[in-house]
Amino acid sequence: MFTFVNYLFSKPGSRTSNAAIAPPPRTVISSPKSKKSVATALASLQSQHKLLIFYGSQTGTAEDLATRIANEVYARFGVEAAVADPEDYDMTDLTTATATANTAAGKTVIGFFMATYGEGEPTDNAADFYEWFMDGRGKGEDDDVDDIGDEMVTEKLGSGINYIMFGLGNSTYEYYNSMGRRMARRLDSIGATRVGVVGEGDDDG
């Protein structure tokens, strides 16, 4: 997990100074009355580099892992990180907000820690985001996510996204880790830059 994070954040001159290190990582909490924007979440991170992790979690495992990684990244590299529930956000500004947040001095990385639920389905909290992002594809037996051909693909709207992907699943199920795998393929198809390999966790051992 930390091989590619180290590559991103520990190059000479990449760490912030002690004076510039922001408060410890936290979970971003949004108002129950309205959804926050991804841009707002990124703007709240004050370190030179930024890490924003979205999780799809049914039992809390993906959320717990995302929080642990966010804290480790801050402790090791001084990179302020936040953990966010996609259900609380208007995820339609994901591509534009991320591209805007990248600067010559610092990188913005979006993390996805996505559990696969049931028979190749997204978790409840990630269902709306997944439906929009995948254009209704990629659930259960539907593996048709490489040739969707929508505007995201034709315009390469994800070209400003640097991302890490970690899938959580159980290998005793037929569609093991399908959420992480399918989302990574979709992100690649819209021009996003994947940092490292797609990580996978197996609840069966």
Side-chain angles (χ1 to χ4, degrees):
M1 172 64 71
F2 283 105
T3 301
F4 50 84
V5 175
N6 184 73
Y7 172 79
L8 266 181
F9 295 140
S10 65
K11 292 179 180 179
S14 67
R15 295 185 61 173
T16 56
S17 67
N18 289 336
I21 292 178
R26 61 197 182 280
T27 298
V28 178
I29 301 174
S30 65
S31 166
K33 295 182 180 180
S34 61
K35 296 198 175 214
K36 281 190 174 181
S37 71
V38 177
T40 299
L42 290 172
S44 73
L45 302 175
Q46 299 300 309
S47 56
Q48 182 181 7
H49 301 301
K50 305 178 180 187
L51 173 64
L52 177 60
I53 302 177
F54 290 101
Y55 62 85
S57 188
Q58 197 71 24
T59 63
T61 303
E63 180 182 3
D64 290 346
L65 180 60
T67 301
R68 194 168 76 213
I69 294 299
N71 279 280
E72 286 284 341
V73 167
Y74 178 79
R76 293 190 184 198
F77 309 113
V79 172
E80 189 176 357
V83 177
D85 184 341
E87 192 170 36
D88 293 335
Y89 283 80
D90 176 4
M91 298 295 287
T92 61
D93 74 341
L94 176 66
T95 56
T96 55
T98 307
T100 302
N102 281 309
T103 67
K107 288 186 178 293
T108 294
V109 178
I110 304 296
F112 298 96
F113 284 59
M114 308 301 294
T116 299
Y117 182 57
E119 298 300 323
E121 304 292 327
T123 58
D124 290 344
N125 77 304
D128 289 344
F129 162 57
Y130 190 79
E131 180 75 15
W132 164 75
F133 186 66
M134 304 297 286
D135 198 33
R137 312 280 186 88
K139 290 178 285 188
E141 295 182 0
D142 180 13
D143 201 37
D144 183 20
V145 299
D146 293 314
D147 59 351
I148 294 177
D150 60 350
E151 184 183 18
M152 279 196 196
V153 174
T154 58
E155 300 296 326
K156 297 299 179 189
L157 296 183
S159 59
I161 298 176
N162 302 304
Y163 80 94
I164 57 176
M165 179 68 68
F166 192 88
L168 297 90
N170 187 308
S171 58
T172 62
Y173 285 79
E174 181 177 1
Y175 304 107
Y176 171 61
N177 264 321
S178 60
M179 290 300 102
R181 295 174 182 180
R182 289 169 176 170
M183 278 197 61
R185 285 160 53 195
R186 173 66 162 161
L187 283 159
D188 292 345
S189 75
I190 66 173
T193 300
R194 176 161 44 87
V195 183
V197 299
V198 176
E200 295 186 348
D202 185 0
D203 191 47
D204 191 48

